[in-house]
Amino acid sequence: MAGSDVRLQPKKKGLTRRQKRSLSRGAQYVVFTAAVIVFAVTADWGRLKNQFAQWDIAREMFPDVITLALKNTVLYTASGFVLGLVLGLVVALMRLSSVGPYRWVAGVYIEIFRGLPALLIFVFIGVAVPLAFPGTEIVGGTYGKAALGLGLIGAAYMAETFRAGIQAVPKGQLEAARSLGFSPARAMVSVIIPQAFRIILPPLTNELIMLFKDSSLVLLLGVTLEERELSKYGRDLASTTANSTPILVAGLCYLLVTIPLGFVVRRMEAKAQEAVK
């Protein structure tokens, strides 16, 4: 009887998966809260404020930080993005071409410009090109050089984005266009590429954010006072005032653009997922 009573006793069960997840989540909250408290207690907020939050210095930066520095940053980025968009589409079509040399050239371009640091590309444009071609000037001066540098960088990434978008369009779309009498080139331009654009719009916006940040490298081209972008403008004022507040203000100006763009990207991705469902 004693043995049967033992057998009849229910076995003790461990934690369920839901309980384990709750415990894990709670532990993460505790660790995060502890890290925030340690940072808040140990940081020297007085020194940080003196070095990065001198509001009288910040006020003196306006309106030039917007009307000059941010404006130039947007111009550099926009021109580089447009050039990168056009060149990236051409490279993507070359990568998908049935002609072997086109694919080889496009592949080499993508691997080189995706592998090289953006800093070296700007140094090459600012130093190597004038040495290789004496007396030649890139159209647009600093703005033209910035557009060329950002465009070359962006095109390498956009080309792969375009290629993926074109290949994501169902093959039946091309076959239907051909059955209607479209030539291969016209079918690609009128049918495939517009559909690919809708697919790749979120990653293209991410590329725009990347180029916006890379525009800080324009300072390597030797800009004038009127051609300074946000990073150069902030660094110059930081050196003049012996304070880092201008750098913080410049960083906040970057966020004024990148945060809304990031929100747009998330909204587009969410709409794309809803359309798939």
Side-chain angles (χ1 to χ4, degrees):
M1 293 295 293
S4 62
D5 291 342
V6 172
R7 286 195 298 271
L8 292 174
Q9 292 178 357
K11 294 181 180 179
K12 294 182 178 180
K13 295 182 179 180
L15 296 174
T16 64
R17 290 184 178 179
R18 180 177 296 181
Q19 290 172 332
K20 290 180 179 179
R21 286 197 298 268
S22 298
L23 286 175
S24 175
R25 193 180 302 113
Q28 293 176 37
Y29 284 139
V30 170
V31 172
F32 175 77
T33 304
V36 171
I37 292 174
V38 170
F39 174 76
V41 171
T42 58
D44 190 338
W45 295 103
R47 294 183 63 184
L48 286 174
K49 180 179 182 298
N50 290 333
Q51 187 63 25
F52 289 96
Q54 293 295 325
W55 304 121
D56 54 338
I57 297 176
R59 282 194 298 269
E60 293 177 0
M61 296 177 65
F62 290 89
D64 287 349
V65 69
I66 302 296
T67 59
L68 176 68
L70 182 58
K71 181 200 73 174
N72 284 335
T73 301
V74 171
L75 288 176
Y76 294 145
T77 304
S79 57
F81 182 76
V82 171
L83 179 60
L85 198 67
V86 175
L87 182 58
L89 179 58
V90 172
V91 174
L93 294 176
M94 291 174 64
R95 189 75 183 271
L96 296 170
S97 173
S98 59
V99 181
Y102 287 169
R103 295 197 305 272
W104 182 82
V105 171
V108 170
Y109 173 85
I110 291 171
E111 293 303 323
I112 289 177
F113 282 92
R114 283 200 311 177
L116 285 176
L119 183 146
L120 293 183
I121 295 173
F122 275 95
V123 170
F124 176 80
I125 292 174
V127 178
V129 171
L131 290 176
F133 305 98
T136 59
E137 286 290 337
I138 296 176
V139 178
T142 301
Y143 292 95
K145 294 176 184 178
L148 179 60
L150 293 172
L152 291 174
I153 297 167
Y157 293 92
M158 292 184 203
E160 288 294 89
T161 302
F162 272 119
R163 181 182 62 81
I166 291 172
Q167 292 179 329
V169 177
K171 293 182 179 179
Q173 296 291 321
L174 180 59
E175 294 171 357
R178 294 299 306 278
S179 67
L180 293 174
F182 283 56
S183 66
R186 186 182 174 191
M188 179 64 69
V189 172
S190 302
V191 179
I192 304 302
I193 291 178
Q195 295 186 58
F197 257 105
R198 288 195 292 269
I199 296 172
I200 65 175
L201 201 53
L204 281 181
T205 309
N206 279 326
E207 296 297 334
L208 178 60
I209 295 174
M210 182 194 73
L211 290 180
F212 186 75
K213 295 185 294 183
D214 284 344
S215 65
S216 62
L217 296 173
V218 172
L219 63 89
L220 299 172
L221 300 175
V223 297
T224 65
L225 292 177
E226 296 299 319
E227 295 169 341
R228 290 179 296 177
E229 39 69 49
L230 281 170
S231 293
K232 175 66 173 172
Y233 184 82
R235 287 181 59 186
D236 287 350
L237 285 184
S239 299
T240 302
T241 60
N243 190 273
S244 299
T245 299
I247 295 177
L248 176 63
V249 174
L252 293 176
C253 289
Y254 277 105
L255 295 179
L256 285 176
V257 176
T258 57
I259 289 178
L261 283 177
F263 176 77
V264 170
V265 171
R266 290 191 295 272
R267 291 293 299 170
M268 288 191 296
E269 290 175 345
K271 288 184 178 180
Q273 291 176 356
E274 291 176 1
V276 171
K277 293 179 181 179

